[in-house]
Amino acid sequence: MTKNLVNEYRRRFLAGLGLMVGATLLPELSNTQAADVTARPENEPASSHKRWGMLIDVKRLTDGGAAMVAACQHEHGWGHDPQASAEQQAQWMRVVKVTDKQTLHSFSLPVMCQHCEKPPCVDVCPTGASMKRADGIVYVNKHTCIGCRYCMMACPYKARSFVHEPLKDQKPHSPRGIGTVESCNLCVHRIDKGQLPACVEAAPHAVIFGDLQDPDSRISQALKASGGTQIRADLGLNPQVYYLNI
Amino acid sequence: MSNKAIVYSEVQQSGWGYYGVLMAGMALVGLGLIAFFYLEHTGHYVTGMNNQIVWGLPHVFAIFLIVAASGILNIGSIGTVFNNKAYQPLGRLSGLLAISCLIGGLMVLVLDLGRPDRLIIAMTHYNFKSIFAWNIILYNGFLALVGLYVWAMMDHKIQYLYKPVGFAAFFWRLVLTAGTGSIFGFLVAREAYDSAIFAPLFILISFALGLALFILISYVLFTGAQRVLSKDLLKRKRYLLALFMGAVLFFEAIFHITALYAAEHSHFEQFILSGASGYSLWFWLGHIVLGSIVPLCLLLLPWWREQVSSLLGAAALVVMGSFIQLYVIIIGGQAYPLTLFPNATVESSFFDGVIHTYTPTVWELMLGVGGVGVTLVMIMIGVKVLRFLPVSLATAASGDIE
């Protein structure tokens, strides 16, 4: 009994010490708050005066983003379609382990739809189902997707999945339909209510979410101070997901 | 129109030969429909396609038939646009085959959609930045133009439309095949594609494939209907086929050499060309050796080139080689993983960084051959009910064959 109390004391002490160190070293990435997002009034369309983006500090993600992936999976209910093979399972977000061929330096990061400013998936979609909202969120209109999968061919980030079977018990806020394509929608249903995306909430110490159009937003300030790297920036698509320390 | 003297008639044969082919075509259509309803009911999990190889065997069949459709129309265009009188009697048949192939190909493409029930959306919601949307317009326009073209050849009352519509159809078919090639050319993300050369390459594949298919189908139809083919015309087609094949090989070589030269594409080229994958075997043995070199030998070497069987054999090999070429382009191109981080290896639960595998199931094969069946049935019914086939193409100048 006494031994257990000592262990608990040690854990609390070390956790407190860790928090202090973290808060001192990287203040710009701490204190993720829902204040970064303001709710959209129901009678107003999405505004082009906003541009939602995300900055992920890979060094602070001790699990490589696994908790973010789990949160996404829980929020949207993908990843355990009963009939689909492993290759056919949807994956809106996954942890990618990257190893430099020369130095063998290795790190892991979460990869999902990068919400490009010039999204190839939107360009190629014949019906306009693959769309970019005025505030920069790229997603699929489930009502007009015909399931041609051309957007999956066009996406450089392999961010899209096709639903290979009829599904039951879907999340009411995130319907998934057989024969249509789906991907990270930046938790548009949460953003509109003034909440953070589920993955951001799962890694508050490592991710800043906010309005890239607002120069005073925390994400704009953090990008100004620390910079940020876009995956495959060479393609000129200007993704709105930035990474630190990759 | 100079083919006034040519007499056309419906196919008179009603024996086992005709109905056997028709029934075979219908059986294929039946297989395609069974596959469609099964996929519609269960979803695509019963296919070999997945989230890595998103387009599979049905797409190979569909693009094969669509590319063939535009190429087959060349026979008519040579007569109309280039005023080659020897080809003019084949214009009607060329139109019929083009429409039949296109509808067969489109059927496969549409029935493989995740939501084929939403086809009306594809017809009413257009994203004009999408080459796919443009292709929908191009396919419909092709059907309308070629339909009118055939009509102008058959009905003297609108004979004045023959030339202008023939020109329009020729222009349209070039744009259509450029559009089909651009489906791949516009994919900036994939090392295998992202090249403007896909537009002209597909046009040339259509030239060779369309001509080869026309040679085979017209031979079967003429001999089956006991009508006379012109030896002189077969000889011309032999040289034309060799020329088109040479052009395909030239563009293919330019494509691969350019890609090899560019460091960012060289890994993919090694994957396709160097034997590191099964696709290399398909490419070299199926497309280059059996689909190109052997038929070129059959067409050009002096001890074979005079024989009709050599021409037919070469045409059959070109058809097979073109199918394999499209398989390597479509499936092989997707099998190679996307580059997320140049100069780094990547791994994930979503198969990043690994060569993707694809094994088509019988459902995909059934859907694909269903499209071939539609083409076959349309041709057989077309020649039976309308005057597509000339009674004879015999000319005094050449010792013609039956």
Side-chain angles (χ1 to χ4, degrees), chain A residues 87-89 91 94 97 99 101 122 124-126 142 145-150 153 158 162 164 232, chain B residues 42 44-45 47 49 51-52 55 112 114-115 118 127 130 183 190 339 343 345-347 349-350 352:
Chain A
E87 289 87 353
Q88 290 170 334
Q89 285 293 343
Q91 288 210 32
R94 77 270 190 195
K97 187 183 176 195
T99 308
K101 281 179 188 165
V122 172
V124 301
C125 177
K142 308 295 282 183
C145 174
I146 57 172
C148 72
R149 287 101 86 197
Y150 197 19
M153 294 287 282
K158 212 178 164 200
F162 179 71
H164 287 78
R232 291 303 307 266
Chain B
T42 60
H44 276 62
Y45 82 88
T47 71
M49 291 179 279
N51 284 328
Q52 341 302 318
W55 287 350
D112 179 74
R115 295 298 300 262
R118 292 181 176 173
N127 167 23
S130 166
I183 288 173
R190 292 186 182 261
T339 303
N343 302 317
T345 58
V346 289
E347 54 186 290
S349 57
F350 205 35
D352 283 289

Side-chain angles (χ1 to χ4, degrees), chain A residues 73 76-86 88-92 161-170 176-178 180 182, chain B residues 45 51:
Chain A
Q73 212 165 353
H76 297 283
W78 54 264
H80 40 73
D81 302 346
Q83 305 286 351
S85 66
Q88 290 170 334
Q89 285 293 343
Q91 288 210 32
W92 292 25
S161 300
F162 179 71
V163 181
H164 287 78
E165 63 191 281
L167 297 173
K168 290 176 184 164
D169 303 325
Q170 301 173 49
R176 304 177 58 222
I178 180 179
T180 58
E182 56 186 21
Chain B
Y45 82 88
N51 284 328

Side-chain angles (χ1 to χ4, degrees), chain A residues 91-139:
Chain A
Q91 288 210 32
W92 292 25
M93 191 181 205
R94 77 270 190 195
V95 174
V96 177
K97 187 183 176 195
V98 183
T99 308
D100 190 282
K101 281 179 188 165
Q102 198 148 15
T103 63
L104 299 182
H105 168 65
S106 187
F107 61 90
S108 294
L109 77 170
V111 176
M112 62 294 196
C113 173
Q114 303 287 298
H115 299 278
C116 307
E117 186 192 354
K118 297 171 188 163
C121 60
V122 172
D123 290 346
V124 301
C125 177
T127 64
S130 181
M131 57 177 279
K132 189 178 76 167
R133 221 168 70 152
D135 53 6
I137 300 175
V138 175
Y139 67 110

Side-chain angles (χ1 to χ4, degrees), chain B residues 34-359:
Chain B
I34 291 169
F36 160 66
F37 285 117
Y38 187 61
L39 289 184
E40 172 75 354
H41 183 68
T42 60
H44 276 62
Y45 82 88
V46 294
T47 71
M49 291 179 279
N50 51 51
N51 284 328
Q52 341 302 318
I53 306 279
V54 301
W55 287 350
L57 192 59
H59 300 81
V60 180
F61 271 101
I63 292 172
F64 172 81
L65 287 170
I66 290 168
V67 168
S70 56
I72 278 181
L73 192 69
N74 274 1
I75 302 297
S77 301
I78 293 170
T80 311
V81 178
F82 301 100
N83 211 26
N84 189 321
K85 292 185 171 45
Y87 281 85
Q88 284 175 352
L90 293 170
R92 295 180 180 189
L93 184 62
S94 159
L96 172 68
L97 300 192
I99 290 174
S100 307
C101 282
L102 188 66
I103 290 179
L106 288 180
M107 192 204 80
V108 182
L109 207 57
V110 166
L111 296 188
D112 179 74
L113 289 176
R115 295 298 300 262
D117 54 311
R118 292 181 176 173
L119 187 62
I120 189 72
I121 292 173
M123 298 292 179
T124 51
H125 290 62
Y126 282 104
N127 167 23
F128 286 103
K129 207 174 176 187
S130 166
I131 187 68
F132 242 28
W134 278 104
N135 277 342
I136 295 168
I137 296 168
L138 288 169
Y139 297 150
N140 287 324
F142 183 85
L143 292 175
L145 268 178
V146 179
L148 191 59
Y149 181 43
V150 171
W151 186 8
M153 283 188 269
M154 288 185 159
D155 187 350
H156 288 287
K157 276 182 268 182
I158 59 162
Q159 198 181 324
Y160 60 92
L161 287 176
Y162 170 67
K163 276 278 176 188
V165 173
F167 267 84
F170 177 64
F171 171 75
W172 197 275
R173 66 120 306 183
L174 289 178
V175 179
L176 182 143
T177 329
T180 310
S182 297
I183 288 173
F184 300 95
F186 288 179
L187 290 173
V188 294
R190 292 186 182 261
E191 286 184 37
Y193 310 128
D194 183 26
S195 169
I197 208 166
F198 274 101
L201 177 64
F202 269 57
I203 289 177
L204 288 165
I205 295 173
S206 82
F207 281 12
L209 169 61
L211 181 58
L213 263 180
F214 189 89
I215 289 169
L216 289 173
I217 297 172
S218 61
Y219 184 84
V220 171
L221 287 175
F222 271 81
T223 48
Q226 292 167 349
R227 300 185 184 187
V228 181
L229 263 174
S230 161
K231 246 188 181 175
D232 178 51
L233 197 56
L234 285 175
K235 196 173 173 184
R236 289 175 189 224
K237 285 179 189 159
R238 195 181 74 211
Y239 288 129
L240 202 56
L241 185 58
L243 182 73
F244 288 162
M245 290 169 62
V248 170
L249 286 177
F250 174 72
F251 270 73
E252 184 96 44
I254 294 288
F255 169 65
H256 288 293
I257 290 168
T258 311
L260 271 173
Y261 202 80
E264 60 176 324
H265 294 294
S266 60
H267 292 293
F268 169 73
E269 282 305 314
Q270 284 163 23
F271 167 71
I272 285 292
L273 301 179
S274 74
S277 69
Y279 300 103
S280 306
L281 187 67
W282 286 112
F283 177 84
W284 287 110
L285 186 64
H287 169 37
I288 300 296
V289 176
L290 290 175
S292 304
I293 294 173
V294 173
L296 275 175
C297 292
L298 287 171
L299 294 171
L300 298 176
L301 292 180
W303 47 91
W304 287 318
R305 68 183 179 201
E306 297 300 332
Q307 297 164 22
V308 175
S309 56
S310 296
L311 177 68
L312 297 176
L317 285 170
V318 170
V319 171
M320 182 203 72
S322 301
F323 189 88
I324 292 171
Q325 183 182 16
L326 290 171
Y327 191 92
V328 172
I329 289 174
I330 297 167
I331 311 293
Q334 295 174 82
Y336 193 75
L338 288 168
T339 303
L340 274 181
F341 293 88
N343 302 317
T345 58
V346 289
E347 54 186 290
S348 77
S349 57
F350 205 35
F351 306 94
D352 283 289
V354 297
I355 303 295
H356 308 308
T357 53
Y358 171 67
T359 311

